[in-house]
Amino acid sequence: MVDLTSFIMGIVLVLGILGVGVVVMMYIQIKRLKSKCSQLEQVQGLIFNDISRTSEELHRRIDGEIKRTDELYAETNRYINARAEETHKGLEDVYRTIDSRLDKLVTKLNPVTKDLLQD
């Protein structure tokens, strides 16, 4: 019976030592996995920061292009309006000149038509 008790105590001791070894190995593996998780969280944070920075830069560039396009549009409208005003003034001068020439022609033709009508 002593042999059986010694044998069972030996098996329990071996199982206990194996259990402690398994627990230590699991602890080491869990610690390693925790460090990998923290590294992955850091990488995830860096990726998020990079995406946020890139998004902000993109929006800033889009806003700059919108502003530049608005300025070009306003400048083009000013140029077109200035050209239209110049053209309008030029046409007014042409009409004025034509009108004055026609008036001169009418005044020159009036005496001739009077002479023709009198005869």
Side-chain angles (χ1 to χ4, degrees):
M1 183 81 148
V2 174
D3 289 335
L4 183 64
T5 307
S6 304
F7 179 72
I8 291 176
M9 290 292 280
I11 290 176
V12 169
L13 183 62
V14 169
L15 288 176
I17 292 173
L18 284 175
V20 169
V22 168
V23 167
V24 168
M25 293 295 285
M26 287 177 68
Y27 176 76
I28 292 171
Q29 192 173 13
I30 289 172
K31 189 175 180 181
R32 193 177 319 136
L33 288 174
K34 277 186 175 181
S35 69
K36 283 184 182 180
C37 282
S38 67
Q39 288 173 354
L40 289 175
E41 286 175 353
Q42 288 175 353
V43 169
Q44 181 184 12
L46 292 175
I47 290 172
F48 178 76
N49 289 339
D50 190 38
I51 289 172
S52 296
R53 184 178 47 79
T54 304
S55 176
E56 288 174 9
E57 288 176 5
L58 178 65
H59 287 295
R60 213 173 310 125
R61 285 187 66 189
I62 289 172
D63 290 341
E65 289 299 318
I66 289 172
K67 182 179 178 184
R68 187 177 71 83
T69 304
D70 288 343
E71 289 171 356
L72 286 173
Y73 178 74
E75 182 181 335
T76 303
N77 280 339
R78 281 193 302 271
Y79 176 74
I80 289 171
N81 290 337
R83 292 292 297 215
E85 288 177 17
E86 289 174 10
T87 305
H88 186 66
K89 287 179 184 177
L91 287 175
E92 284 180 356
D93 290 341
V94 168
Y95 290 144
R96 204 173 305 122
T97 304
I98 290 172
D99 191 39
S100 70
R101 296 292 177 198
L102 285 175
D103 285 343
K104 286 181 183 179
L105 182 63
V106 167
T107 56
K108 282 184 181 182
L109 287 177
N110 271 341
V112 172
T113 56
K114 284 182 184 179
D115 286 342
L116 287 175
L117 290 175
Q118 288 176 357
D119 289 337

